[in-house]
Amino acid sequence: MRAGRASIVDTLRDAPAAARRGGPLARLTALVPGRLGLLGVGRLAARPGRATLTGLTMLVAVMGAVVAGGFMVTVTEALERPSFTGDPWQVFVDRGDVAPTTVEAALRQTPGIGGWWSEAERRGSYDGQTFRVRALGGETLPGYSVGAGRLPSAPGEVALGYGLLEQLGLRVGQTATVEIAGVARGVHIVGWYRTGEDSGRLFAMRLADLSAIDPATAPGQYRMTVTPGTSPDTVKSALEARLGSGVELRTYTSNVGGRTVIEAVTTLIAAVLVLIALANMLHALLASNRESARDIGIAGALGCTPRQLVGQSALAAAALAGLAVVIGLPLGLLVFRIQSDAVARDIGLGPGFGLTPSAAFLVALVAGTLALAAATGAAAARGLARRPLGDLLRWE
């Protein structure tokens, strides 16, 4: 039965079988009879240490590609959807000396404005720590990305930027007594939201609640979104015509140059990891094929064509890459989540900020990894497969 399980090459050659000298993995591959394509896997498995190191480099490359893909998706989303990073506005108005009623009337009359809200700021303190208090009013709530809970909508409710929530050691659902504009007031924390402003150390409340504390409160600035198809510059020009030079107007602009740099750097890092992995795989397969040149010659003498011999090496490389992909994809997603959460916590955006790569990206990564590995394996065996059989059979 044991002889029946051994491959023809192992039976006819004089040297000890790879299944007896290559460790458990080589013995496992040797159990498959009549599978010429798996002979390359057996040769690679005959050196388990080398195969393991080669697989680890592929594993690191796959993980690096997943992490790079995640960061590029996140950066793209942050630049295309400003609310993702805490800037849910497109046009900003600082009213200066213009009366709030005048500004609000202009906002209601200007076409192209999708929604607007007003802001007034004071200083607050809790447990000896001071922070910025931003009171929100107007017709709509800002479209902040809320990490947990919601924005305040009822008397006594507040929401904190993640950076402030961590700094003060508070949590969503908790009731606390804070000092706002010199007045102690009990508040109920109903949520935390993402904002990169002041590293997320902002305290959001209703403008009506701040007016109850300080009756002289008046909004000092306004932010708005525009309707689909409307240019923010068009709305800005219309407001300038209505309000004159007494107000400061600006539109939101994203740093496209920064996006290009980030994408270039992450792509370069992933490419370098892939090149190192492929170079290491090529070296390992070349060494494995040279050590097994006599075996390859015997396989050729028994009828294997050069194409079949090249295919054996390609299959071995693809099998090793497939194992690296199976392990590397989930590990890469885990590493990306840990890294993105750590970065987001440091800049006040909170956990869960990073976006994982799309399914299409992951499928393309798997297909590309297997294809590149197979091509590398084929290249490693092409030279020996073309040599005369006599040279291979006399190989020492």
Side-chain angles (χ1 to χ4, degrees):
M1 182 178 293
R2 181 177 299 176
R5 290 179 177 177
S7 68
I8 297 176
V9 174
D10 281 346
T11 302
L12 294 181
R13 68 186 177 185
D14 296 330
R20 293 196 298 272
R21 71 168 192 266
L25 183 57
R27 289 195 294 272
L28 180 63
T29 58
L31 295 177
V32 183
R35 298 289 191 269
L36 292 178
L38 293 177
L39 292 179
V41 179
R43 289 193 292 271
L44 186 62
R47 296 292 184 269
R50 179 190 297 158
T52 299
L53 291 176
T54 304
L56 285 176
T57 58
M58 290 297 299
L59 176 68
V60 172
V62 170
M63 292 173 58
V66 172
V67 172
F71 275 112
M72 285 192 288
V73 170
T74 302
V75 169
T76 299
E77 180 70 10
L79 293 174
E80 293 182 352
R81 188 165 64 90
S83 61
F84 187 60
T85 54
D87 292 305
W89 58 276
Q90 292 166 287
V91 183
F92 171 88
V93 179
D94 187 330
R95 69 178 180 86
D97 295 330
V98 179
T101 53
T102 303
V103 176
E104 293 171 11
L107 295 178
R108 294 187 180 97
Q109 296 168 8
T110 301
I113 295 179
W116 62 268
W117 63 94
S118 60
E119 298 176 350
E121 294 201 358
R122 294 290 187 273
R123 298 299 298 179
S125 65
Y126 173 80
D127 196 24
Q129 302 182 73
T130 60
F131 47 84
R132 289 169 60 189
V133 175
R134 175 167 291 172
L136 305 173
E139 296 184 342
T140 60
L141 284 174
Y144 287 114
S145 175
V146 178
R150 56 181 174 81
L151 294 178
S153 59
E157 293 181 345
V158 300
L160 277 61
Y162 181 80
L164 183 61
L165 190 75
E166 287 289 290
Q167 176 183 323
L168 300 182
L170 299 173
R171 66 181 185 275
V172 175
Q174 182 176 348
T175 298
T177 300
V178 299
E179 187 174 295
I180 302 172
V183 178
R185 182 179 179 88
V187 297
H188 179 57
I189 303 171
V190 296
W192 67 263
Y193 63 100
R194 307 184 197 280
T195 175
E197 189 175 354
D198 201 11
S199 298
R201 293 189 290 268
L202 288 178
F203 182 101
M205 64 186 301
R206 297 167 65 247
L207 182 61
D209 289 344
L210 181 58
S211 298
I213 297 173
D214 181 5
T217 298
Q221 54 196 30
Y222 296 81
R223 301 177 195 263
M224 67 211 72
T225 59
V226 300
T227 56
T230 301
S231 169
D233 290 327
T234 301
V235 173
K236 176 186 173 184
S237 299
L239 289 174
E240 284 178 339
R242 291 179 182 274
L243 298 174
S245 60
V247 299
E248 176 190 348
L249 285 144
R250 67 173 183 266
T251 58
Y252 180 87
T253 56
S254 59
N255 185 3
V256 179
R259 170 183 177 177
T260 303
V261 171
I262 293 174
E263 289 182 347
V265 171
T266 52
T267 302
L268 179 62
I269 293 173
V272 169
L273 290 175
V274 170
L275 288 176
I276 292 174
L278 292 176
N280 186 66
M281 174 174 282
L282 180 63
H283 176 269
L285 290 172
L286 284 172
S288 176
N289 289 336
R290 287 184 175 277
E291 291 170 358
S292 305
R294 189 166 177 268
D295 296 346
I296 295 174
I298 294 174
L302 292 174
C304 282
T305 64
R307 178 175 295 180
Q308 289 174 322
L309 296 176
V310 170
Q312 293 170 10
S313 181
L315 181 60
L320 191 61
L323 183 61
V325 166
V326 169
I327 300 175
L329 277 183
L331 280 182
L333 292 173
L334 177 62
V335 169
F336 168 72
R337 177 54 57 201
I338 293 173
Q339 288 185 341
S340 63
D341 282 354
V343 172
R345 288 176 188 272
D346 286 342
I347 61 178
L349 293 176
F353 172 73
L355 299 177
T356 55
S358 65
F361 175 88
L362 296 178
V363 170
L365 176 61
V366 171
T369 300
L370 295 179
L372 287 174
T376 302
R382 187 169 288 114
L384 284 177
R386 291 177 177 176
R387 296 177 73 96
L389 291 177
D391 291 350
L392 296 177
L393 292 173
R394 292 191 298 270
W395 197 281
E396 295 293 339

